[in-house]
Amino acid sequence: MQVLLAVVVLSATALAQAPSSATARRALQIEDFYRMRTVGAPALSPDGRWVAYTVVTRVEATNAETSEVWLVAIIGSAAARRVSGEGVNATAPAWADDGRLEYSAGDLGFAIDPLSPGEALARARTTERRARAIGGESRFPAPTGSMTAIQRNVAPPVREPAPMSDFAQRHERRFKGVQFDWLDFQRDGQPFPVPNRADPAVSPSQELWLAGDGAERQLTRLGLRPQGLSWNRTGTLLLFTADSAYRDERRYGASAVFL
């Protein structure tokens, strides 16, 4: 009875201290979109003591996103802290076998010791980047080193030009501009005129190949663009996300997870 009474008293006190709905609520504004933070990509340390994650912010000036890597102790013994450099677009936090936290930033990889919070940024050391962009493709070696996942653009099939009337042929010879009926709003900030999003040559799909023992074999035939490739520790499973509507400018992304 005493416990129940205490809960009731605390609840009444909280309600009395809470701001009224008239002062706590306001209409949503465009600027609020750029104040939102998206937390994702959680990675649990092998010893179960730490969680690393990303905090993504939308930048209004460029209409792009910037990402930071943060670290927090499981038991909540200290406040979460940012471990990536100031102004650095850091992604893909993952844990190495030696207990260090690794992440990517630009064309470099970094690793830090979670037990050195005061020196985490200063002690960041350059490591081999997991995904190397070589000749227009990205390579993701398995932890065991026995095989490598390769991500490549897939050339669209050659399409024969559609038959044109004599009027259309004369129009093509005379006018060299770009014709369109109306302009879409470009979420990705790309220049106008708007490209034909149905054209497979615009943002071509990507597929994955598996290389090992001097041979390659195609791993996927999804017609999508895989992102966030990650191996398990034994090199037997490959995880990634992909959005089936990545070409549709009028739809927000809705990625699915593939294994």
Side-chain angles (χ1 to χ4, degrees), residues 125-148:
R125 61 180 174 84
T126 303
T127 60
E128 181 181 3
R129 192 182 182 189
R130 295 185 174 185
R132 290 181 174 270
I134 302 175
E137 65 182 30
S138 297
R139 293 176 172 263
F140 301 83
T144 58
S146 59
M147 62 187 68
T148 299

Side-chain angles (χ1 to χ4, degrees), residues 37-200:
R37 305 291 185 269
T38 303
V39 177
L44 181 66
S45 64
D47 59 9
R49 299 174 58 186
W50 307 91
V51 172
Y53 57 94
T54 58
V55 177
V56 178
T57 305
R58 173 71 68 169
V59 181
E60 183 175 5
T62 61
N63 199 32
E65 292 180 341
T66 183
S67 176
E68 300 172 342
V69 174
W70 285 64
L71 184 67
V72 66
I74 288 290
I75 61 175
S77 57
R81 66 183 188 271
R82 176 178 53 81
V83 295
S84 57
E86 180 72 28
V88 173
N89 188 40
T91 60
W95 294 91
D97 293 335
D98 61 1
R100 289 178 175 267
L101 172 63
E102 299 180 346
Y103 62 88
S104 298
D107 292 331
L108 299 176
F110 296 89
I112 65 167
D113 183 356
L115 297 177
S116 303
E119 303 178 21
L121 295 179
R123 293 182 58 187
R125 61 180 174 84
T126 303
T127 60
E128 181 181 3
R129 192 182 182 189
R130 295 185 174 185
R132 290 181 174 270
I134 302 175
E137 65 182 30
S138 297
R139 293 176 172 263
F140 301 83
T144 58
S146 59
M147 62 187 68
T148 299
I150 306 173
Q151 183 174 349
R152 298 188 180 113
N153 287 347
V154 177
V158 178
R159 299 186 302 175
E160 295 295 331
M164 293 189 297
S165 64
D166 178 67
F167 174 82
Q169 293 180 30
R170 288 188 291 112
H171 182 278
E172 287 294 313
R173 290 193 297 266
R174 187 178 185 91
F175 301 105
K176 302 301 181 183
V178 177
Q179 181 179 358
F180 51 85
D181 293 327
W182 60 285
L183 290 178
D184 292 339
F185 170 70
Q186 289 283 89
R187 289 193 298 121
D188 57 4
Q190 294 299 309
F192 292 107
V194 178
N196 179 8
R197 57 173 164 262
D199 187 350

